[in-house]
Amino acid sequence: MTQSAAAQKPPATPRRLDPEDAQHALAEVQERLRRQQLVADLVHRQEEGDAKANLVEDLVHRQHEAELKTLLDGLHPADIAFILESLPKDERQSIWKLVSPEHDADVLLEVEDWVRESLIEAMDRQDLVAATGNMDADELADLAPDLPPDVVAEVQKGLTEEERAQLLEAMGYPEDSVGAIMDFEMVRVCEDVTLEVVLRYLRRLHELPDHTDQIFVVDRQDKLQGILPLSRLLVSEPETEVRAVMNSDFLTLNPLDSDADAAGAFERYDLVSAPVMDDQGRLIGRVTIADVVDVMREDSQEQALSRAGLQEEDIFAPVSTALRNRAPWLLFNLCTAATASFVASQFEGTVSQIVILAFLMSIVAGIGGNSGNQTMTLIIRALAMGRITGRNLWQLVKRELFVTLMVGLCGSLVAALFAWAISHSISIALVMMAAMVCNMLVGASVGVLVPMVRARFGKDPAMGSSVLLTFATDSLGFFIFLGLATIFLL
């Protein structure tokens, strides 16, 4: 009895996706590149024009490229993107040339913007058209700002009228809006058909769009009437009409809504997908959890950089680029530090008579900064989540000041004991205690006011907040501590 081809075919080995796989792959890529460079250096030490040495170099180079290509072909596009982001520009370009063309589009979508630009620059027009030609309209819209205009025009020629309209629509929405991240692939059915008809329709599809957890019920004008969860479709009787089991209570998004607001809605209601409707109630797209995760990750990265006064940049960018990014806030920080030093210098007489103050004033400034940083982190997060309004602002300010006061009183007792232990002076300990409480209140106030004021004027509440907080707690911390010392200890 002969076995069928399917029975003779060995079972596929499941591939487990693990973030550590990317780390191991990166280490292996770096090691192979190092060996390749080592061979090149050894060959260059030989006599110029040595044909044998050049042949050895060429053979070794080809072998390393073949090994690297085999390694890359077995990786997920997201892992390839991680490797490219972690390599200097020259090595990044060498690895990018070895990536299989069938993965080009997925990798370009996965990499950060600052890497994508350099990868696109290294590709010729034909390769770009081939990589982007099979993209969906929403994916192409993501890449369009980085693509040469002639490439975008060429790709548009291969789109259907509907896809071209979707592309132009997606490109017309603001960058941080729901319309810029929405997906046009979704399943729609009418409310007057039975579930059996819906099931037959789904079976005819090649595959369901990613993250399909619900089917959208529309009328003849594409106006959204309700949603049909897949779970309900599977457990309901096939003869039942869609209108009888669909949900009429559902969350919708507008294409001009903020993508951060959409992310908050997904988190609050545990959504996998949500429909996007225009002002006329027509279903024009959907947002999925994959899109929302990207938004959350990007917002988190931007917030972390903003607090230090930085913008996103290539970690291997030229020094001139890094200087333009970092120098402005560093120079501002230098000015604030100079101001704090100037404040301290005005109390030279006090410090010269009570030298121990020079060792204690850094504690006052540091604790005030840490306290303000805690408050500022809470405020920035609350602003991002939309939890702060005009009605609860003053209540929040009072709460933060009260919490800081309580924490300050407890912490200042410990600081006072420390000051007394090294100075053997009750007066110095009391001044230390009072200065610490006052500076912690200063830090809390700045931690609330800076993000709130920047948000009020439509600015990023996190931008440069740490620098401004440090300026306030250092300058005022020195002034309060040394001022109290001058009044009560001299």
Side-chain angles (χ1 to χ4, degrees):
M1 183 176 179
T2 60
Q3 293 180 320
S4 66
Q8 294 175 355
K9 184 178 179 179
T13 301
R15 184 177 185 274
R16 180 175 64 89
L17 296 180
D18 188 344
E20 292 186 1
D21 291 345
Q23 297 280 356
H24 296 322
L26 173 61
E28 190 169 348
V29 167
Q30 291 173 323
E31 177 61 21
R32 294 183 186 278
L33 290 173
R34 186 190 67 82
R35 292 178 183 177
Q36 184 173 316
Q37 184 61 43
L38 180 61
V39 171
D41 292 341
L42 290 174
V43 170
H44 291 161
R45 293 175 186 174
Q46 303 293 328
E47 295 183 5
E48 185 176 355
D50 190 335
K52 185 177 180 180
N54 291 334
L55 178 60
V56 170
E57 179 186 12
D58 184 61
L59 290 175
V60 173
H61 181 75
R62 289 176 180 272
Q63 179 183 357
H64 284 160
E65 281 193 345
E67 292 172 350
L68 285 170
K69 183 171 178 57
T70 301
L71 173 62
L72 294 171
D73 287 343
L75 295 176
H76 190 279
D79 294 336
I80 299 176
F82 170 78
I83 292 173
L84 293 172
E85 293 166 356
S86 306
L87 293 174
K89 188 172 182 178
D90 293 340
E91 296 181 357
R92 180 187 303 156
Q93 301 297 348
S94 299
I95 296 300
W96 178 233
K97 294 176 182 178
L98 301 178
V99 175
S100 176
E102 65 186 33
H103 290 156
D104 284 353
D106 293 329
V107 174
L108 287 174
L109 289 171
E110 292 286 349
V111 294
E112 300 287 352
D113 294 343
W114 43 269
V115 174
R116 183 185 301 138
E117 294 176 3
S118 64
L119 299 183
I120 289 177
E121 289 175 0
M123 300 176 69
D124 57 35
R125 184 177 183 276
Q126 184 177 357
D127 290 338
L128 281 173
V129 172
T132 57
N134 295 324
M135 285 185 176
D136 296 330
D138 58 301
E139 296 174 337
L140 187 57
D142 290 338
L143 292 185
D146 299 322
L147 294 174
D150 62 321
V151 172
V152 177
E154 181 67 24
V155 173
Q156 285 188 30
K157 295 178 181 178
L159 300 178
T160 63
E161 289 295 331
E162 181 182 6
E163 291 173 335
R164 191 177 297 114
Q166 291 173 348
L167 173 61
L168 295 176
E169 182 180 4
M171 293 174 60
Y173 291 114
E175 181 179 357
D176 297 328
S177 67
V178 166
I181 64 171
M182 69 179 178
D183 182 2
F184 294 104
E185 284 194 349
M186 52 193 163
V187 180
R188 289 174 282 197
V189 297
C190 295
E191 62 180 342
D192 56 356
V193 299
T194 65
L195 300 185
E196 175 61 30
V197 173
V198 175
L199 288 170
R200 288 203 305 266
Y201 169 66
L202 294 180
R203 293 190 192 103
R204 289 200 301 268
L205 298 178
H206 178 64
E207 62 180 358
L208 290 178
D210 292 337
H211 307 291
T212 297
D213 65 318
Q214 56 190 358
I215 297 173
F216 302 115
V217 184
V218 297
D219 62 14
R220 305 301 177 186
Q221 287 76 41
D222 256 353
K223 292 187 177 181
L224 189 61
Q225 304 298 308
I227 60 171
L228 175 61
L230 287 184
S231 57
R232 186 170 297 179
L233 169 65
L234 295 175
V235 301
S236 300
E237 293 296 332
E239 297 80 11
T240 309
E241 287 193 347
V242 169
R243 64 163 59 92
V245 293
M246 71 179 187
N247 287 338
S248 299
D249 183 18
F250 50 88
L251 179 137
T252 63
L253 301 172
N254 186 276
L256 294 179
D257 289 342
S258 166
D259 57 5
D261 292 340
F266 269 68
E267 180 184 13
R268 189 176 308 117
Y269 301 115
D270 295 328
L271 301 177
V272 176
S273 66
V276 181
M277 294 169 47
D278 63 13
D279 294 335
Q280 286 73 42
R282 292 192 300 263
L283 179 66
I284 60 175
R286 66 176 184 138
V287 174
T288 68
I289 187 63
D291 304 315
V292 168
V293 169
D294 289 340
V295 170
M296 289 180 172
R297 176 179 56 83
E298 291 172 3
D299 287 350
S300 176
Q301 292 175 348
E302 290 176 2
Q303 189 177 107
L305 293 171
S306 294
R307 295 195 63 185
L310 293 175
Q311 296 177 349
E312 190 177 46
E313 69 173 38
D314 187 346
I315 57 175
F316 297 106
V319 174
S320 58
T321 303
L323 287 176
R324 287 195 301 270
N325 189 7
R326 305 182 193 186
W329 279 102
L330 287 178
L331 293 176
F332 179 76
N333 198 10
L334 177 62
C335 295
T336 61
T339 302
S341 298
F342 174 77
V343 171
S345 69
Q346 300 307 299
F347 296 92
E348 181 181 0
T350 302
V351 175
S352 63
Q353 294 185 49
I354 310 175
V355 180
I356 195 66
L357 298 179
F359 301 97
L360 296 176
M361 64 182 186
S362 61
I363 298 177
V364 175
I367 294 298
N370 290 336
S371 174
N373 194 49
Q374 291 178 339
T375 300
M376 184 171 286
T377 300
L378 291 174
I379 297 299
I380 291 175
R381 183 176 184 276
L383 284 170
M385 300 297 293
R387 293 172 179 164
I388 297 181
T389 65
R391 292 180 178 272
N392 62 16
L393 175 59
W394 179 238
Q395 182 181 0
L396 179 63
V397 171
K398 290 191 295 183
R399 176 190 176 277
E400 285 301 316
L401 291 177
F402 180 74
V403 171
T404 300
L405 178 61
M406 294 297 100
V407 174
L409 289 175
C410 296
S412 62
L413 288 174
V414 178
L417 289 174
F418 174 75
W420 174 80
I422 64 174
S423 67
H424 304 291
S425 170
I426 295 294
S427 299
I428 291 179
L430 292 175
V431 167
M432 179 76 173
M433 182 176 179
M436 178 175 288
V437 172
C438 291
N439 201 34
M440 288 180 69
L441 290 173
V442 168
S445 301
V446 174
V448 172
L449 292 176
V450 169
M452 291 300 304
V453 170
R454 290 190 61 84
R456 177 66 178 80
F457 288 97
K459 304 295 184 180
D460 182 358
M463 176 61 75
S465 56
S466 294
V467 178
L468 296 173
L469 176 63
T470 301
F471 165 60
T473 54
D474 282 359
S475 301
L476 294 179
F478 292 159
F479 178 78
I480 293 171
F481 181 55
L482 297 177
L484 291 175
T486 302
I487 294 173
F488 295 104
L489 300 182
L490 295 183

